[in-house]
Amino acid sequence: MDPAYSVILFTSSSGAGYGLLAWLAFARISGTWQLDPTVAVVACLVGLVLVTIGLLSSTFHLGHPERAWRAMSQWRSSWLSREGVLALATYPGALVFAAGWVWSGIPPNVMTIAAVITLALSLATVFSTGMIYASLETIPRWHNGWVVPVYLALSLASGGLLFTLALAASDAANQPALILMVAVLLLSWAIKWAYWRFIDQQEPASDTGTATGLGHLGKVSQLEAPHTSENYLLKEMGFVIARKHAAKLRRMALNLGLLLPGILLVLAGVSHGMYQLFLLSAALLIGMAGIVVERWLFFAEARHAVTLFYGRSL
């Protein structure tokens, strides 16, 4: 499919934002890391800003952005609606959770409840985003059990890179914490690699013969194009990326999203002060570049079933 920049920004930005909120909430609930209260508030607000940027950018892909609010009315049957409802429901708890770091008027038990709600709704929203694509039977490369784990894992990975900056600013970015983030990166990209292997080995459930109903007569091939010029279906649904280019971009995504950030995290584990902060900032920027490449490929490699009528394969 034709990768829309608004959707790439939406899934990358909101995924990182929800991932950051999830890590901050987990830190508060578990007590594993002691964050500076001011740093924690700023980090929470950064997470909410990223989420907001992502949600707003998603409306740019709509024909009538002013009607986006209507999408939430179909939450009983639509994962897109559920995502919108969950996204909005995250804000109240997250704002209470953010304020609780510095405002003594919020009791500790309320702060803990807000953290639990923030963690649960952040992960649920990312889950719903993945299900928007995984539920589309017309796109076999999305309609599988790997898509949702990919979205959750990469959200925690990108949010984790942001979280390391909060740890460093709180003087809590020790070796165990950074080793954990390296492990999260490894796991997330291992899941993504498994997704790529799956779609490469996936047997198409249909072909031009079954799509046209003429398969029983023999091999079906296209005599001539159904249109003399490109139309909406071909532009939006028939985008094709060459296999060699896809392979190159996959390597780029892995190098930027996993290899280089992992090396920088290891180096940061034996560093301190501004040098550590610089290494973690570089890991974040490079890692997010890898996420953007991965997300572009996610859409570019997808093939809609309608293209079977144009003589193309799934």
Side-chain angles (χ1 to χ4, degrees):
M1 297 183 70
D2 186 18
Y5 295 121
S6 59
V7 178
I8 294 172
L9 175 60
F10 156 55
T11 53
S12 302
S13 177
S14 63
Y18 284 121
L20 174 58
L21 291 174
W23 279 110
L24 291 167
F26 176 74
R28 176 72 184 192
I29 296 167
S30 66
T32 305
W33 302 282
Q34 296 301 317
L35 295 173
D36 178 82
T38 303
V39 171
V41 171
V42 172
C44 286
L45 294 178
V46 168
L48 288 172
V49 167
L50 288 172
V51 166
T52 303
I53 290 173
L55 293 176
L56 289 177
S57 69
S58 68
T59 64
F60 298 153
H61 194 57
L62 301 176
H64 293 276
E66 72 279 2
R67 301 177 187 171
W69 63 272
R70 295 183 180 178
M72 291 183 289
S73 65
Q74 305 302 313
W75 57 270
R76 293 180 181 83
S77 58
S78 168
W79 281 105
L80 178 63
S81 293
R82 292 165 187 162
E83 178 205 37
V85 171
L86 289 169
L88 292 181
T90 304
Y91 280 91
L95 289 172
V96 172
F97 170 61
W101 288 98
V102 292
W103 186 24
S104 59
I106 298 179
N109 60 330
V110 174
M111 176 65 166
T112 300
I113 293 172
V116 171
I117 292 173
T118 300
L119 175 60
L121 289 179
S122 294
L123 296 178
T125 304
V126 177
F127 177 89
S128 297
T129 302
M131 281 302 300
I132 292 173
Y133 305 105
S135 63
L136 298 177
E137 296 184 29
T138 53
I139 305 179
R141 295 194 173 195
W142 291 351
H143 189 60
N144 60 73
W146 288 105
V147 170
V148 171
V150 163
Y151 268 76
L152 286 170
L154 291 181
S155 173
L156 291 175
S158 55
L161 290 174
L162 281 163
F163 181 65
T164 59
L165 290 177
L167 291 177
S170 303
D171 198 26
N174 51 29
Q175 284 189 355
L178 296 178
I179 289 173
L180 172 62
M181 293 305 163
V182 172
V184 171
L185 281 177
L186 284 171
L187 177 61
S188 62
W189 284 96
I191 293 173
K192 183 62 189 185
W193 183 257
Y195 164 80
W196 279 329
R197 284 181 57 85
F198 175 83
I199 65 173
D200 287 344
Q201 299 172 0
Q202 189 177 30
E203 291 292 333
S206 185
D207 54 27
T208 304
T210 57
T212 59
L214 301 174
H216 65 284
L217 299 176
K219 181 177 176 58
V220 178
S221 59
Q222 188 179 41
L223 178 62
E224 61 179 14
H227 301 284
T228 57
S229 61
E230 188 174 282
N231 63 0
Y232 172 81
L233 290 176
L234 286 177
K235 182 178 183 298
E236 292 294 321
M237 309 295 187
F239 184 87
V240 176
I241 179 172
R243 183 180 295 272
K244 64 177 181 179
H245 293 153
K248 184 186 299 184
L249 288 171
R250 287 182 183 183
R251 290 193 297 270
M252 182 185 298
L254 283 170
N255 288 334
L256 293 176
L258 170 61
L259 181 60
L260 292 177
I263 292 173
L264 291 171
L265 287 176
V266 171
L267 293 175
V270 294
S271 305
H272 302 281
M274 291 302 296
Y275 186 57
Q276 183 186 61
L277 198 60
F278 170 77
L279 290 171
L280 294 176
S281 299
L284 170 63
L285 292 175
I286 295 172
M288 287 305 299
I291 295 290
V292 169
V293 174
E294 176 275 334
R295 206 46 44 94
W296 188 90
L297 266 177
F298 177 75
F299 292 98
E301 291 187 300
R303 300 173 184 174
H304 197 284
V306 73
T307 58
L308 291 173
F309 293 99
Y310 294 86
R312 299 178 182 179
S313 62
L314 295 178

